[in-house]
C-alpha cells in the first residue's frame, strides 16, 4: 500500500507541473487571487503503538485536535499554492491499542508503551483542482474536488506518561520528555521533514467564503514519533530513572515471553517509518483582488 501512495504522489507531481505550465499561459493575472483560511482537524498517527501491525491501522479514540492557518494563491485554472502553519497532538498507548487476548497483539500489550507528541508543522503544497475555473473568483465552481502534495518541516516532542510499577522514584501520572533519554541508545532530532499529500473537496458558500473537507497523510523520515523503533539495550546504559523506566522497567509481565526486555530483543519495527494523518474542515476567506482602472492619456 505504501508503494501505491508513493507512485500516486509521483504521478500527481508530474501532472501538476505539466498542467501549471499549460494553464499559466492562458490565465491572466487579473483572474488570480489570494485567500486566507483556518482549519480544525482530527489528528492520528501510524507507528509502533497501533492496534494492528499494518499500515493505516490507528485508534479512532486516540484522535486529538489539530488547528492551523493558511494562505493560498490561485495561479492558474486548476493550480494553487498553499502555505500553512498548524499545531496538533498525536497519542498512542499499548494498553488501549493492543488486546491482551489477541495472540498477535499480546507482545505489544506486554510492552506497555505510551506516547503523547505535540507537533508544530510548517508546510507548502501545490493544489490541483479536478474541476477548472478559467473565470475570476466570483464565477468559481460551487463544488471542486482536489488533490495536493508538497513538503513540510515539523517539530515534535514525544512524552511518556509514568503509570506505576517500578518507577524509580518518578511521580506517577507525570509526563516525561522521551527524546533526551535515548531509551534505545540512539539520538534523534526533534525537527524533521515530511511529505504531505492527500485530497479534499471545496464548496462555495458565497462570493467570499469557501468551506472544505480534507484528508492529508504525512510521510515522515523518522521512526521516533513514538520513541519506539529498534531493540532493547542494556539497562546499565540507561543512566537516569526516567530512562530506565521507559527503556526497560515499564513492561508488564515478562514471564509471558522469554527474556522479553533483554538487550537485543525487539522493542519496535525499525524498518518502518512513522506517519501522521490530518483530517478535517477548512474555512477560507477570499481576498478580492484590486481591479486597476485603465489609464488614459
Amino acid at each position: 500500500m505504501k508503494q501505491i501512495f508513493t507512485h500516486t504522489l509521483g504521478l500527481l507531481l508530474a501532472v501538476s507541473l505539466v498542467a501549471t505550465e499549460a494553464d499559466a499561459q492562458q490565465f491572466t493575472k487579473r483572474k488570480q487571487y489570494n485567500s486566507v483560511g483556518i482549519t480544525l482537524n482530527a489528528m492520528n498517527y501510524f507507528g509502533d503503538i497501533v492496534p494492528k501491525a499494518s499500515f493505516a491501522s490507528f485508534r479512532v479514540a486516540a484522535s486529538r485536535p489539530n488547528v492551523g492557518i493558511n494562505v493560498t494563491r490561485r495561479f492558474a485554472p486548476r493550480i494553487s499554492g498553499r502555505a500553512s502553519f498548524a499545531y496538533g497532538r498525536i497519542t498512542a498507548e499499548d494498553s488501549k491499542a493492543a488486546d491482551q487476548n489477541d495472540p498477535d497483539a499480546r507482545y505489544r500489550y506486554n510492552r506497555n508503551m505510551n506516547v503523547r507528541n505535540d507537533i508544530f508543522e510548517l508546510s507548502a503544497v501545490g493544489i490541483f483542482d479536478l474541476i477548472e475555473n478559467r473565470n475570476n473568483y466570483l464565477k468559481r465552481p460551487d463544488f471542486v474536488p482536489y488533490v495536493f502534495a508538497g513538503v513540510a518541516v515539523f517539530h515534535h516532542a514525544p512524552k511518556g506518561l509514568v503509570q506505576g510499577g517500578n518507577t524509580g522514584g518518578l511521580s506517577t501520572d507525570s509526563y516525561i520528555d522521551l527524546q533526551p533519554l535515548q531509551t534505545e541508545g540512539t539520538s534523534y532530532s526533534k525537527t524533521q521533514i515530511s511529505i504531505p499529500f492527500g485530497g479534499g473537496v471545496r464548496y462555495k458558500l458565497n462570493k467570499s467564503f469557501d468551506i472544505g473537507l480534507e484528508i492529508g497523510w504525512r510521510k515522515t523520515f523518522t521512526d521516533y514519533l513514538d520513541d519506539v523503533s529498534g531493540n532493547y539495550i542494556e539497562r546499565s546504559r540507561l543512566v537516569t530513572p526516567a530512562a530506565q523506566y521507559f527503556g526497560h522497567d515499564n513492561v508488564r509481565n515478562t514471564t509471558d515471553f522469554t527474556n522479553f526486555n533483554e538487550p537485543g530483543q525487539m522493542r519496535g519495527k525499525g524498518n518502518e517509518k512513522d506517519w501522521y494523518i490530518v483530517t478535517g474542515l477548512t474555512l477560507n476567506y477570499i481576498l478580492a483582488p484590486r481591479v486597476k482602472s485603465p489609464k488614459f492619456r
Side-chain angles (χ1 to χ4, degrees):
M1 190 169 183
K2 290 184 180 180
Q3 292 182 347
I4 294 176
F5 278 127
T6 302
H7 295 326
T8 301
L9 178 60
L11 179 61
L12 170 62
L13 292 173
V15 171
S16 297
L17 289 173
V18 174
T20 301
E21 183 177 356
D23 286 344
Q25 296 175 359
Q26 305 176 39
F27 199 70
T28 64
K29 289 186 176 181
R30 296 182 63 182
K31 295 179 181 179
Q32 297 176 354
Y33 58 88
N34 301 321
S35 64
V36 294
I38 57 174
T39 60
L40 178 61
N41 308 296
M43 200 169 183
N44 299 91
Y45 109 112
F46 167 76
D48 291 281
I49 310 176
V50 290
K52 299 290 183 181
S54 60
F55 183 71
S57 171
F58 64 88
R59 237 179 113 246
V60 174
S63 301
R64 292 296 182 270
N66 172 286
V67 295
I69 57 175
N70 65 74
V71 177
T72 304
R73 173 70 173 176
R74 166 71 60 177
F75 290 108
R78 293 181 185 267
I79 303 297
S80 300
R82 183 177 71 197
S84 305
F85 177 76
Y87 159 76
R89 173 176 289 176
I90 57 174
T91 65
E93 190 171 343
D94 279 334
S95 63
K96 296 178 179 178
D99 183 357
Q100 61 178 317
N101 299 316
D102 182 350
D104 294 330
R106 285 175 59 241
Y107 175 89
R108 297 192 302 279
Y109 181 82
N110 200 54
R111 180 179 57 189
N112 197 32
M113 277 298 301
N114 71 82
V115 69
R116 184 185 78 182
N117 197 339
D118 293 332
I119 296 177
F120 295 86
E121 178 191 84
L122 181 64
S123 65
V125 302
I127 301 171
F128 182 80
D129 289 349
L130 302 184
I131 298 176
E132 68 177 9
N133 173 29
R134 294 188 176 275
N135 296 303
N136 59 29
Y137 77 99
L138 294 172
K139 297 181 179 180
R140 67 192 187 279
D142 290 336
F143 180 83
V144 179
Y146 62 90
V147 292
F148 68 89
V151 65
V153 178
F154 69 93
H155 179 84
H156 71 117
K159 295 182 179 180
L161 177 65
V162 180
Q163 296 180 312
N166 183 16
T167 65
L170 300 174
S171 299
T172 303
D173 295 329
S174 62
Y175 279 94
I176 305 294
D177 189 0
L178 297 175
Q179 187 261 3
L181 305 182
Q182 297 190 19
T183 53
E184 296 179 359
T186 302
S187 179
Y188 55 89
S189 175
K190 290 184 176 182
T191 302
Q192 299 282 342
I193 300 292
S194 72
I195 304 297
F197 64 97
V201 292
R202 187 170 62 247
Y203 179 73
K204 176 183 176 183
L205 292 176
N206 55 40
K207 69 176 185 178
S208 298
F209 285 95
D210 286 340
I211 191 170
L213 175 64
E214 181 176 290
I215 179 170
W217 289 265
R218 271 60 169 177
K219 174 178 172 54
T220 79
F221 300 91
T222 179
D223 193 27
Y224 284 103
L225 291 184
D226 46 25
D227 196 65
V228 177
S229 178
N231 301 324
Y232 286 97
I233 62 174
E234 294 85 353
R235 192 175 187 278
S236 59
R237 293 174 58 189
L238 303 168
V239 296
T240 66
Q244 292 168 359
Y245 178 77
F246 288 104
H248 190 274
D249 297 342
N250 65 330
V251 299
R252 288 183 178 275
N253 182 9
T254 56
T255 59
D256 288 346
F257 299 90
T258 304
N259 300 322
F260 182 86
N261 55 352
E262 292 302 307
Q265 293 297 311
M266 185 178 71
R267 188 168 181 259
K269 298 178 66 175
N271 60 333
E272 296 183 0
K273 304 303 182 185
D274 295 336
W275 295 58
Y276 59 98
I277 306 134
V278 180
T279 308
L281 297 173
T282 299
L283 181 66
N284 284 331
Y285 174 72
I286 295 174
L287 303 173
R290 296 176 59 185
V291 178
K292 295 182 180 180
S293 300
K295 295 181 179 179
F296 297 95
R297 296 184 180 179

